[in-house]
Amino acid sequence: MTTETTTFASLNLAPEILRAIEEQGYTKPTPIQAQAIPLVLEGRDLMAGAQTGTGKTAAFTLPLLQKLLPQASTSASPARHPVRALILTPTRELAIQVEESVKAYGKHLPLRSLVVFGGVDIKTQTPSLMRGVEILVATPGRLLDHIEQRTVQLNQVQMLILDEADRMLDMGFMPDLKRILALLPKERQNLMFSATFSNEIKKLADDFLTDPTLIEVARSNATSENVQQKIYRVDQTDKHALLAELLRTQNVQTIVFTKTKLTASRLARLLQREGVAADAIHGDKSQQERMQALDAFKQGKVTTLVATDVAARGLDIDQLPMVINYEIPHAPEDYVHRIGRTGRAGALGVAISLVAPEEEKYLKEIEKLIKREIPQENTPRLQHRPERQRDREAAPRKVASTPARKSNDPWFDRPYEPADSSIDAPLRHTPRPVSKQKREIPALLGGLLRKD
Ligand code: AMP
């Protein structure tokens, strides 16, 4: 059977798991699931190239549940519920989402799961941990805290999953990972998921996978064909007005990306002042604030979430129709991750980038990486700019009710001028013709990993 014709029923999963899948409304496995599930059930180590949005969480969670099923116990004794599967993620948000998936897919099984992450009182996590859990989802730092406090034992771990391994390395978790790996039994199955393949990832795979099988669902750094990408060339000073206009005309749930936490906060505040239901999500916010913002966004109470790359990484928001890059990321891979928030699980999405002249070089890098030119939309406001600038200079300055703040982006210090509503016709979510581009295995891994 080819992976295209694979059904969940053909994957040798227990009826309880199939029932949970059905309740999720999934009708057939995604390509990564069709490839990974049989290999994980066989006990192979995996190096999987898959981005968020491909269904990768179920790709490792479903076979994990299946493999732990024989040891599932209804006993209340903590000794009967040792940690058997450890899932490490780089961010708290991803950890929460992964554990929600574990709970959803395992809802008809007597297996326990728990998520632990930093930024919240460690004591709140200890009682559940001490009661015993088979599946532990954790961020590395907090897991080490628990290890130090002897609230968790890892000597019965049979499966280790590193989710978004590339981001874990980016975020400097390598020393933590090494400390954790040293505490696990040598005999275990290892699964590593990464959206991109760098030399460091190759090295990590070398260090901790045994004779791994490489699977890949999309060429690394490929962008989803369900995402309609476009750019607006616009001066930095005009970005905020264009953003406000796009949010107004499109009127859909949007994640707006900025490079820094400071810009994220300021932009969210500015949008709020203009009546946009906006909030910011970034690393300086407390865990509770981040969770509240995410919940409000998921419920539609907040329509615009302004986010930094790290905070947004791994966010799984169903049916997100639009992302806007307010600032172009300097690492082109981040562009791929950002726009991967939309156009997920078969839905269509729009990814708009606001490119200032000084960001052209980063755009070039992105286009080189994704091997395509991103179509440009007209930005007529640039044509009006000289006139508007003259008007502004002639007009008496408004007295600001709050003292002007210092910022590199002058929009933070001046009142918003609504854009000409004729500027942008509403975007339509029309699918792009599906490219017949060949999907390749990254050359870097060619020598390291064999493809079965
Ligand atoms: P992930 O890549 O794990 O973050 O998953 C992305 C989204 O795809 C999540 O919202 C999942 O609920 C959804 N999903 C996972 N597997 C399937 C499937 N087989 N069919 C439809 N949607 C799925």
Side-chain angles (χ1 to χ4, degrees):
M1 190 175 331
T2 67
T3 52
E4 281 90 63
T5 55
T6 308
T7 58
F8 279 117
S10 70
L11 285 172
N12 294 325
L13 296 168
E16 295 92 332
I17 301 178
L18 291 176
R19 182 141 63 95
I21 294 171
E22 204 181 312
E23 285 164 8
Q24 287 294 307
Y26 305 166
T27 49
K28 71 193 279 289
T30 64
I32 187 85
Q33 292 161 6
Q35 288 183 62
I37 293 172
L39 291 163
V40 181
L41 290 177
E42 261 175 47
R44 300 293 312 250
D45 272 16
L46 277 195
M47 167 72 228
Q51 295 163 20
T52 304
T54 52
K56 69 179 168 67
T57 314
F60 62 76
T61 305
L62 299 174
L64 177 159
L65 292 168
Q66 178 68 36
K67 294 199 79 179
L68 297 190
L69 193 52
Q71 291 153 311
S73 165
T74 49
S75 157
S77 160
R80 302 294 300 275
H81 301 275
V83 178
R84 300 184 196 276
L86 176 64
I87 305 172
L88 295 176
T89 75
T91 64
R92 318 165 212 199
E93 283 77 13
L94 183 60
I96 292 166
Q97 284 171 192
V98 167
E99 205 261 340
E100 278 172 2
S101 298
V102 173
K103 278 221 160 40
Y105 305 139
K107 66 194 272 203
H108 302 301
L109 303 173
L111 287 165
R112 299 180 183 173
S113 65
L114 184 71
V115 58
V116 296
F117 46 81
V120 292
D121 187 353
I122 193 163
K123 288 198 207 81
T124 60
Q125 298 167 347
T126 304
S128 316
L129 206 48
M130 303 284 271
R131 270 198 295 276
V133 289
E134 281 87 5
I135 303 154
L136 181 61
V137 187
T139 52
R142 179 47 61 95
L143 180 63
L144 284 169
D145 296 340
H146 279 291
I147 291 168
E148 267 160 30
Q149 299 202 358
R150 299 181 185 277
T151 43
V152 67
Q153 290 239 336
L154 300 177
N155 56 1
Q156 295 202 50
V157 170
Q158 306 158 15
M159 294 180 81
L160 170 70
I161 293 99
L162 289 193
D163 198 7
E164 302 203 345
D166 49 350
R167 184 52 54 140
M168 275 202 243
L169 296 190
D170 288 353
M171 290 170 70
F173 282 132
M174 193 62 186
D176 286 355
L177 280 184
K178 284 201 165 136
R179 284 178 62 198
I180 294 167
L181 293 187
L183 297 169
L184 304 181
K186 296 266 170 301
E187 275 293 301
R188 54 165 207 266
Q189 185 176 13
N190 302 293
L191 315 177
M192 183 158 131
F193 287 76
S194 181
T196 53
F197 296 107
S198 62
N199 280 335
E200 281 140 318
I201 284 289
K202 189 174 131 181
K203 169 92 180 49
L204 184 66
D206 229 358
D207 283 351
F208 98 105
L209 302 178
T210 313
D211 186 22
T213 306
L214 169 70
I215 56 171
E216 223 201 352
V217 287
R219 192 164 41 83
S220 75
N221 302 328
T223 48
S224 163
E225 278 134 7
N226 290 340
V227 181
Q228 189 185 9
Q229 303 173 60
K230 49 181 77 184
I231 60 164
Y232 285 84
R233 288 199 155 83
V234 56
D235 279 349
Q236 189 64 31
T237 48
D238 285 336
K239 277 190 177 181
H240 166 253
L242 180 56
L243 172 68
E245 181 64 10
L246 287 168
L247 293 174
R248 195 182 62 73
T249 51
Q250 305 314 312
N251 196 25
V252 290
Q253 294 287 103
T254 303
I255 293 188
V256 176
F257 283 99
T258 64
K259 283 207 318 278
T260 66
K261 302 170 202 174
L262 192 65
T263 313
S265 303
R266 287 177 169 176
L267 191 55
R269 271 205 305 273
L270 201 60
L271 290 169
Q272 281 163 7
R273 284 214 293 271
E274 283 153 9
V276 177
D279 205 346
I281 180 166
H282 55 70
D284 277 356
K285 291 215 158 184
S286 72
Q287 176 60 15
Q288 198 174 350
E289 285 171 324
R290 289 158 75 174
M291 274 159 42
Q292 271 167 359
L294 190 59
D295 274 352
F297 188 65
K298 282 185 171 177
Q299 289 165 21
K301 289 183 199 149
V302 161
T303 55
T304 301
L305 201 56
V306 189
T308 54
D309 290 293
V310 168
R313 185 64 199 238
L315 290 187
D316 173 25
I317 295 154
D318 283 342
Q319 314 282 337
L320 178 67
M322 182 157 84
V323 299
I324 296 182
N325 293 313
Y326 186 79
E327 290 165 315
I328 307 304
H330 292 188
E333 292 82 13
D334 283 342
Y335 175 82
V336 178
H337 294 310
R338 286 180 179 190
I339 75 164
R341 306 304 97 208
T342 181
R344 310 180 71 171
L348 300 175
V350 178
I352 296 174
S353 299
L354 311 187
V355 186
E358 55 275 25
E359 293 173 314
E360 287 289 339
K361 54 180 180 291
Y362 305 118
L363 175 66
K364 276 213 179 64
E365 290 293 311
I366 290 165
E367 292 183 330
K368 208 162 93 189
L369 181 79
I370 64 172
K371 298 194 171 70
R372 66 173 88 155
E373 197 177 322
I374 307 171
Q376 179 179 347
E377 290 287 311
N378 285 338
T379 313
R381 71 169 31 257
L382 288 178
Q383 290 154 22
H384 301 303
R385 234 180 114 246
E387 217 174 290
R388 290 196 359 257
Q389 231 160 24
R390 270 201 309 278
D391 289 348
R392 229 177 1 245
E393 276 153 21
R397 271 187 74 88
K398 262 197 193 164
V399 181
S401 52
T402 49
R405 286 181 307 272
K406 286 249 172 292
S407 161
N408 288 337
D409 183 346
W411 270 106
F412 289 119
D413 295 335
R414 67 185 185 188
Y416 164 57
E417 289 167 73
D420 182 346
S421 59
S422 64
I423 287 174
D424 300 304
L427 302 168
R428 245 164 270 122
H429 293 190
T430 38
R432 303 186 58 162
V434 174
S435 122
K436 295 274 181 289
Q437 233 171 5
K438 210 172 134 234
R439 302 196 149 155
E440 299 151 1
I441 302 165
L444 268 177
L445 279 166
L448 173 79
L449 304 164
R450 74 188 169 80
K451 185 166 164 43
D452 280 7

